[in-house]
Amino acid sequence: MPQKNHVSWACLISGYTQNGMPDEACNLFKGLICAGLFPTHYAIGSALRACQERASISLKLGMQIHGLISKSPYASDAVVSNVLMSMYSSCSGSIDDARRVFDEIEIKNSVSWNSIISVYCHNGDAISAFDLFSRMQREATEFTFTPSEYTFCSLVTAANSLVDCGLVLLEQMLTRIQKSGFLHDLYVGSALVSVFARYGLTDCAKMIFEQMYDRNAVTMNGLMVGLVRQHQGEEAANIFKEMKDLVHMNAESYVVLLSAFTEFSNLKEGKRKGQEVHAYLIRSALVDTKILIGNALVNMYAKCGDIDNAWSIFRLMPCKDIVSWNSMISGLDHNERFEEAVSCFCTMRRNGMVPSNFSVISTLSSCASLGWIMLGRQIHSEGIKWGLDLDVSVSNALLTLYAETNYINECRKVFFLMPEYDQVSWNCFIGALATSEASVSQAIKYFMEMMQTGWRLNRVTFINIFTAVSSLSSLELGRQIHALILKYSAADDNAIENALLAFYGKCEQMEDCEIIFSRMAERRDEVSWNCMISGYIHNGVLHKAMDLVWHMMRGGQRLDGFTLATVLSACASVATLERGMEVHACAIRACLESDVVVGSALVDMYAKCGKIDYASRFFELMPVRNIYSWNSMISGYARHGHGQKALKLFTQMKQHGQSPDHVTFVGVLSACSHVGLLDEGFQHFKSMDEVYGLAPRIEHFSCMVDLLGRAGDVSKIEDFIKTMPMDPNILMWRTVLGACCRANGRNTELGRRAAMMLIELEPQNAVNYVLLSNMHAAGGKWEDMAEARSAMRKAAVKKEAGRSWVNMKDGVHVFVAGDQTHPEKEIIYEKLKELMNKMRDAGYVPETKYVLYDLDPENKEEVLSYHSEKLAVAFVLTRKSELPIRIMKNLRVCGDCHTAFKYISKIVNRCIVLRDSNRFHHFDGGLCSCGDYW
């Protein structure tokens, strides 16, 4: 052009700006100034928009243009001022400069108001934006200021960021928009639908959606996202189905649709629908061209439980971003493929990807599940380098990792170094302290602090704190927390009710348990039933526990392994064989007989109820065994005096690749003790540390002292105790005193010392005085025995009476020495007299040394004749039966009764199984399974 005027320059600057060429527009504007021409307001407006496109790099030029404008007639031009506000907002990020421009406009129009409101909205200052909007409406009485659709869109989006008053403002905005006639506008309606849906007001969102004249994919996506967040996946899929022929779908529409399938009530149906969409996306060639669709497919399959398909899609993706890796790692962790999740994270790092907080959280979760504390610590260190430790969710994942691996000190450090907390942080920390025996009281302390700092308690908080309160068995504190639950209206939550059942059951408040359980009605689950059954068992009410089991079965309630194992353990603890066999039948009907937990409990129950043959047979039939199965069988053999079988099974256990633990060695050392294998016992004891890396505990040292005592090496006990790395406790001193009792008066000095320590530690326990008295009686030191008995009377303690009992069809029959209370006492004593005569004819001579009183020989024989176990066996023999006789005794059987039972088993030709406080004795044909070594 030979001649260029203001219009020529303005047109070309505007053209460059509108066609996305801001650099050329800015350079041309500079050329205009250099040519000595003063730009028109159109040229200035276009140049400012170009500066806005270039953001901060053109701030200086924009400020220079602002200076130029201030010297020109355009200083108060509304159009130019509006563009200046937008430029400052984009280039400097400063609202102050934009606000200064707005305040300098002498005559403001609707565009001015709308521009400044949009600036505040886009910069996240929603409160100031609404203040300006209110002022705009107040001043509209003098001038006509009409909010545009862009203003309404900005304000609706801004209201969503206000936590406290956002919903109230939105409802007011909806009324204002309806009056303005913008409800049917595409952009305003889409914004309203999206925001109301995000608040969970899906009915309101759908109402607006249906009233809109024009809708597009953005509108539909906003509604679907809200429905998905409210777990209404089926409804979201139906919206897509209705709209698919009415609007042009974009990639985001399919991403939202795929996420909807993960919220189906039936995940199998969700997966099937997802596969249909997957097939369509393959036909449409969208899978390989859009990374976000590949990511959505990985996420959909992973959350629907098909992790193999998710992995296949991930592996075939031509391009992967950080979201792809996050989705895959999270999916593997969600589907309990923990090792693969960790491996995937390591592969991502090798590929040079910097992890985000999401991938770190999922990987730490997998490490926690695997117990991989070393790798977890490495990721923690890496997270600090990346600055991810400042993210509250990452810190929460670290709290969980250290809590689940029992690193409570590290858990404390993470918590105290967190720059900010959320509700999850407090719950994780309190939960970690509650499950650590040494930190239970601190859990309560931080629970109080959480309340004092204003955090709202939720179901997880209450469940965690009840774990701590249950450990302390603090009934008063528990009732206070129960009152808090009622205050928070959380008492109808199933998990909290279960926690209350467990707590009150442990505190022996079964009446409270029964009230809560009766109110649960339809909310009862397996945990509820198990808590009630465990509570009854813990409180010694076995018959009510069994009644609940029958009630569960009659009501069609599924019996799980925990229920059966709990009841079997209770049957084992009180040696109720008949009840135990009934529960075994329940396990068979529930198809849980092959469950390893139930199987282990059955082995333990049969062993403790005297049926070691049943226990052995069932153990051999178990398809899968764990450490508890092996331990139960080894301990069972030891308890029944089959030491060689126990040691042979220990060898088989190692051959099967099962590493022993501390409990295993208690059984092994007990087996050696019961059969007198002194040298072999010491070999196994040494192997604990040298071979298996297990530091012997006090119970293992106690077993060795018992072994020395039974073998008669009482003199070596004192030297052995000196080798212990810990101080002897009550168990150890009682074992020492018991060993001295068996030594027939040898090494009474050690026994006296052990008794003094026991009386000092437990002055109210009658067993300590009785053992001391028995030791003196065994050595014939009657004066010392009388002194021990006198000390017991002064301490005002009562000796537990020796009792024996038998289970018959008509109930449990209990006997004490010289019992005269049984309704069939005449028949019992007649039968006992008959037995005594037959025993004497067979060569039985009463062993009067076991009468722990200084009496005449005739009186001693009479005392021995009426021991409780003899009365019990005589009573059973008054009934017609050929089944083995099973007798339980709360104390150790005396030597005379042991000899008598051997004679009785031969005379009546019946097997007699006697369980005393130490072990089982099987008498058959005049012999005992212990080989008289007990």
Side-chain angles (χ1 to χ4, degrees), residues 88 92-103 116 119-120:
Y88 276 121
S92 68
S94 170
I95 302 177
D96 295 338
D97 292 329
R99 181 61 183 265
R100 198 174 300 116
V101 172
F102 174 77
D103 290 338
I116 193 63
V119 165
Y120 275 104

Side-chain angles (χ1 to χ4, degrees), residues 559-598:
L559 295 176
D560 64 0
F562 181 84
T563 309
L564 294 168
T566 302
V567 180
L568 285 167
S569 297
C571 295
S573 65
V574 295
T576 311
L577 178 62
E578 291 76 13
R579 289 287 198 182
M581 295 181 80
E582 289 171 1
V583 179
H584 188 177
C586 293
I588 294 171
R589 287 196 290 272
C591 299
L592 286 170
E593 190 182 22
S594 299
D595 181 87
V596 67
V597 176
V598 175

